[in-house]
């Protein structure tokens, strides 16, 4: 696990982030993966449209020189909401994914921990996300203090508050 490095994501990572967005689409076991153009659907494309705007934060996990995972947060507002949106002051963890052959090796934990630290250090009071309750990633989120705050279709909206300490 120690061979993996984390670096901030930039506009140049767009292509990899698109791949990670696709990889993050939750497919219950036994079901077929949707085609790649699912990420063009407006409600999904929102997570990357105009990538690099104020408030966007991304981290990329690297194995040697190869990107193998990513996490990013964005700010939205009442007129441009997404799944997991709470308010314009709360970053939405828009996507977290690790390339399939690298899963289960601690990279997701590394990425999330880095992102929680960063968002907290920027002065935000909390961070939110949306996850299918059947997704094993939910356990990871719960370890980082995320709690269910609502239901949207079949997904849960979750929030982790930073508190004073
Ligand atoms: C969720 C994900 C980013 C975690 O990254 P990872 O590097 O596999 O994570 P870690 O090795 O640090 O393990 C942390 C947790 O990830 C989940 N996880 C681990 N391996 C996994 C796998 N092969 N598939 C799905 N989730 C897995 C588990 O919840 C694990 O916690 P556990 O040890 O309590 O079971 C990664 O598995 C992934 O890309 N999954 C598909 C995309 C996805 O669902 N993203 C979240 C969308 S909301």
């Amino acid at each position: 696990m120690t061979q993996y490095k984390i670096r901030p994501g930039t506009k140049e990572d767009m292509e990899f982030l698109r791949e990670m967005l696709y990889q993050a689409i939750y497919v219950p076991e036994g079901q077929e993966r949707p085609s790649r153009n699912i990420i063009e659907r407006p409600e999904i494309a929102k997570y990357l449209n105009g990538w690099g705007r104020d408030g966007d934060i991304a981290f990329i996990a690297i194995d040697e020189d190869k990107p193998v995972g990513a996490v990013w947060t964005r700010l939205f507002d009442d007129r441009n909401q997404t799944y997991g949106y709470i308010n314009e002051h709360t970053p939405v963890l828009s996507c977290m994914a690790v390339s399939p052959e690298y899963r289960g090796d601690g990279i997701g934990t590394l990425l999330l921990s880095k992102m929680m630290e960063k968002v907290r250090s920027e002065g935000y009071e909390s961070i939110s996300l949306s996850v299918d309750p059947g997704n094993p990633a939910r356990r990871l989120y719960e370890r980082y203090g995320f709690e269910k705050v609502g239901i949207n279709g079949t997904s849960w909206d979750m929030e982790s508050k930073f508190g004073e300490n």
Side-chain angles (χ1 to χ4, degrees):
M1 186 186 129
T2 44
Q3 81 262 29
Y4 303 117
K5 295 206 165 61
I6 306 287
R7 65 159 173 81
T10 69
K11 280 189 178 179
E12 280 68 54
D13 294 305
M14 186 71 176
E15 201 185 320
F16 181 66
L17 297 186
R18 282 172 60 81
E19 172 60 20
M20 291 296 100
L21 188 57
Y22 175 68
Q23 292 296 340
I25 305 282
Y26 178 65
V27 183
E29 231 177 292
Q31 286 186 28
E32 220 173 285
R33 283 201 69 76
S35 70
R36 283 182 180 266
N37 60 13
I38 191 172
I39 66 167
E40 311 301 341
R41 286 193 192 168
E43 72 273 21
I44 298 177
K46 266 183 190 195
Y47 292 120
L48 273 179
N49 278 344
W51 174 250
R53 72 182 185 217
D54 280 357
D56 287 350
I57 305 173
F59 289 106
I60 312 280
I62 308 288
D63 179 26
E64 311 263 315
D65 282 337
K66 185 178 157 198
V68 295
V71 62
W72 67 93
T73 58
R74 307 196 90 177
L75 293 170
F76 292 91
D77 60 35
D78 290 349
R79 282 170 306 163
N80 179 28
Q81 301 189 13
T82 52
Y83 293 110
Y85 173 78
I86 292 181
N87 60 42
E88 62 189 20
H89 310 294
T90 307
V92 178
L93 193 141
S94 301
C95 179
M96 179 163 80
V98 168
S99 301
E101 63 276 25
Y102 281 88
R103 288 178 194 165
D105 202 16
I107 299 174
T109 302
L110 217 56
L111 284 167
L112 185 59
S113 135
K114 186 82 186 168
M115 182 56 87
M116 297 297 285
E117 195 184 293
K118 173 72 175 169
V119 168
R120 182 188 192 125
S121 75
E122 296 270 315
Y124 294 107
E125 290 174 9
S126 71
I127 173 171
S128 67
L129 57 79
S130 167
V131 66
D132 188 291
N135 190 331
R138 177 163 69 90
R139 286 199 300 274
L140 173 58
Y141 297 142
E142 284 170 345
R143 283 205 284 275
Y144 280 84
F146 283 89
E147 291 176 0
K148 181 181 171 190
V149 291
I151 296 183
N152 198 335
T154 56
S155 298
W156 286 8
D157 289 343
M158 300 185 85
E159 181 180 22
S160 179
K161 295 186 175 162
F162 294 118
E164 295 297 311
N165 304 306

